[in-house]
Amino acid sequence: MTESSPTPAGTAGPTASTAPDAGQASRRRPVVLALMLAMGLAALDGTIVSTAVPQIVGDLGGLSVFSWLFSGYLLAVTVTLPVYGKLSDTFGRKPVLIAGTVLFLVGSLLCAAAWDMASLIAFRVVQGLGGGALQGTVQTIAADLYPLKERPRIQARLSSVWAASSVAGPAAGGLLAGYADWRWIFLINLPVGLLALWLIHRHLVEPARREQAGGEQAGGEGARGEQARTRAGGPVLKRAEPRARVRIDWAGALAIFATGALLLTALVQGGVAWPWLSAPSLGLLGGAAALGALTVVIERRAAEPIIPGWVWRRRTIAAVNLSLGALGLLMVAPTVFLPTYAQSVLGLGPIAAGFVLSAWTLSWPITAALSNRVYTRIGFRLTAVLGISLALVLLLAFPFLPFPGEPWQPALLMLLLGGALGLFQLPLIVGVQSTVPYEERGTTTASVLFCRQVGQSLGAALFGAVANGVLAARLGGTGDLDALARSLDDPGSLTAEATDHLRRAVDAAVDYVYLGAAAAAALALLALLTLAPRRFPVLDEGDRRGPE
């Protein structure tokens, strides 16, 4: 079937054909709570740690390398997403989520016991290895739990966790670091994670594993592939009696991990720790290219590849991957540069600047929750096109804000931008998850999140270079947005004329960053219009098996 006539009836179980009753809903509530707690662990991580950096550096030292507290975690999360996606399709969601949560909690406990900056960075990597399982598997289970019509509700709840974390994280981190000890920032994860583990172990019940009835697992989206993959729109499945021995593509997993580590290290550190055209940057990028080619060879030969070829051969999945990669790219503009703009140009304090940024966290979950009323009428693709088109207009409007302007002006743009992106992201995630059977959903979800994470890393490097280049052109010499922002925090050291000149330079730099974000939105729109089918090939709910 296609999305034009979805039959979102029943639970995600194998034979569901009616709307879920009160008993089914009550059984799902503890699982949903567990998912929100697990997602909260990952969502709070970055925001709560960032506020305690001064205390951490004061206690452990290592000012020159403290950025790896975040970069190391980001690297580990990103490169493990495809691996956990494949493992969840192979062994089930429950064991992968439990293993990831345990690993995250072990990393948290080790971080709290760190004795110097090097050990803390290493333990943050351990945390990230677990965080990759949290992010990908939680999103996959959310799709398993709910039929198509109800899925925006759970996704909106998960989005609200991220929204609340963006506001509560800095406050909680500041309180713990200021009135207790920075180590409590990591220890507080333990009770939350243990409760999530208990709820998952007690209440999440997965169906028996099944295998496809012969043939290649992914046949593409042409007529022959669809005929092989679907039975009235769903996968042709049979119970494995007995189940064949699972073969894990460890060589592919290691190659993906190494390729991603080199690429993201080059993107994160290029232009910061060393110049872009220096030997370290060129060496890392060259090594990533070579390992990427090796990864393709390994994955083509693997019986059960970590990143199967059908992830890119199917038009729907490829279009969503590229679109959400562009989303990760454009999200860097507000999340990284808007706080600097609010403080340096508008003259706001850190807390007020945070509220300007948090405006989009209010509208994003709301429009995401209501998006099903749109895509059930006009389709996933058109809903996403509408959302990204609005986002493109709003991003283009930012450079036209007056200088210095009023705080409500960028806050209003962010409020509207969040609403637009809620219409863009969630229909694509729900839509692409609805086009694949249970046995492929983990890999599909992980590929989408992986592309978004890589987009964010690329955006941070690209837009950082853009901002610093504009500053260098405006001020002469070498531009450094962070150093300039710190100098503006001490206005007594500058004359009024110099302060105004510097603020205008920051304003121009952020304007160009938003123009870059608009270009990323245009790329997402182009990917949807040229690659995505007009109607996503949604499978029948009865064939989309999931946990009870």
Side-chain angles (χ1 to χ4, degrees), residues 192-249:
V192 177
L194 290 174
L195 176 59
L197 277 175
W198 181 81
L199 290 171
I200 294 165
H201 175 73
R202 177 71 177 81
H203 296 283
L204 180 59
V205 179
E206 291 192 287
R209 305 295 297 160
R210 295 186 293 181
E211 292 185 355
Q212 288 190 310
E216 184 183 358
Q217 188 178 14
E221 290 183 341
R224 181 177 179 181
E226 284 298 313
Q227 186 177 17
R229 285 175 52 231
T230 60
R231 181 194 67 237
V236 181
L237 301 171
K238 69 176 183 180
R239 293 194 179 274
E241 300 287 354
R243 178 170 173 79
R245 185 174 70 89
V246 175
R247 289 176 289 183
I248 303 175
D249 179 23

Side-chain angles (χ1 to χ4, degrees), residues 30-382:
V31 180
V32 171
L33 176 59
L35 297 182
M36 294 179 71
L37 291 173
M39 185 63 78
L41 290 174
L44 275 172
D45 185 80
T47 56
I48 199 171
V49 172
S50 62
T51 55
V53 165
Q55 289 79 10
I56 294 174
V57 172
D59 188 13
L60 301 180
L63 178 62
S64 61
V65 294
F66 84 89
S67 64
W68 276 100
L69 289 177
F70 308 98
S71 301
Y73 180 86
L74 173 67
L75 289 173
V77 168
T78 304
V79 299
T80 54
L81 275 169
V83 178
Y84 284 125
K86 181 63 178 180
L87 291 178
S88 73
D89 283 340
T90 304
F91 298 105
R93 327 294 191 218
K94 185 173 181 176
V96 171
L97 183 56
I98 288 177
T101 305
V102 169
L103 190 56
F104 185 91
L105 295 181
V106 169
S108 299
L109 187 61
L110 292 172
C111 285
W115 53 90
D116 58 20
M117 186 60 75
S119 63
L120 182 58
I121 291 171
F123 298 148
R124 284 281 288 167
V125 172
V126 175
Q127 260 194 318
L129 294 176
L134 294 180
Q135 290 196 27
T137 314
V138 165
Q139 293 277 7
T140 305
I141 294 175
D144 295 340
L145 282 173
Y146 286 86
L148 179 59
K149 185 176 181 180
E150 298 180 49
R151 202 164 299 136
R153 259 195 278 168
I154 178 62
Q155 293 287 359
R157 291 178 187 175
L158 296 178
S159 296
S160 69
V161 171
W162 286 94
S165 300
S166 68
V167 177
L175 288 173
L176 290 173
Y179 296 97
D181 186 273
W182 62 264
R183 298 178 190 274
W184 281 101
I185 287 174
F186 300 104
L187 292 175
I188 199 174
N189 291 332
L190 299 181
V192 177
L194 290 174
L195 176 59
L197 277 175
W198 181 81
L199 290 171
I200 294 165
H201 175 73
R202 177 71 177 81
H203 296 283
L204 180 59
V205 179
E206 291 192 287
R209 305 295 297 160
R210 295 186 293 181
E211 292 185 355
Q212 288 190 310
E216 184 183 358
Q217 188 178 14
E221 290 183 341
R224 181 177 179 181
E226 284 298 313
Q227 186 177 17
R229 285 175 52 231
T230 60
R231 181 194 67 237
V236 181
L237 301 171
K238 69 176 183 180
R239 293 194 179 274
E241 300 287 354
R243 178 170 173 79
R245 185 174 70 89
V246 175
R247 289 176 289 183
I248 303 175
D249 179 23
W250 292 117
L254 181 60
I256 292 168
F257 191 94
T259 303
L262 289 184
L263 175 62
L264 293 176
T265 300
L267 294 176
V268 169
Q269 296 299 107
V272 179
W274 48 70
W276 280 108
L277 297 180
S278 64
S281 281
L282 296 177
L284 286 170
L285 291 173
L291 283 175
L294 178 62
T295 301
V296 171
V297 173
I298 293 174
E299 293 297 85
R300 282 183 173 180
R301 296 179 177 179
E304 294 288 340
I306 295 294
I307 302 182
W310 54 260
V311 168
W312 292 104
R313 286 197 299 270
R314 298 184 193 173
R315 288 178 55 200
T316 304
I317 302 176
V320 173
N321 282 344
L322 293 174
S323 298
L324 291 188
L327 173 65
L329 190 68
L330 74 87
M331 284 177 62
V332 171
T335 55
V336 175
F337 293 92
L338 187 62
T340 300
Y341 171 88
Q343 294 181 65
S344 300
V345 177
L346 302 181
L348 301 179
I351 296 177
F355 279 116
V356 171
L357 174 62
S358 65
W360 75 340
T361 65
L362 302 176
S363 55
W364 193 318
I366 294 174
T367 56
L370 298 175
S371 64
N372 67 318
R373 301 186 181 185
V374 182
Y375 66 65
T376 53
R377 288 172 171 80
I378 65 175
F380 293 115
R381 177 182 182 244
L382 193 53

Side-chain angles (χ1 to χ4, degrees), residues 315 319-320 323 381-386 388-389 392 424 428 521-534 536:
R315 288 178 55 200
V320 173
S323 298
R381 177 182 182 244
L382 193 53
T383 303
V385 166
L386 175 63
I388 198 62
S389 299
L392 174 59
F424 169 68
L428 289 182
L523 289 175
L525 179 61
L526 182 64
L528 288 175
L529 293 177
T530 58
L531 292 178
R534 294 186 62 185
F536 283 22

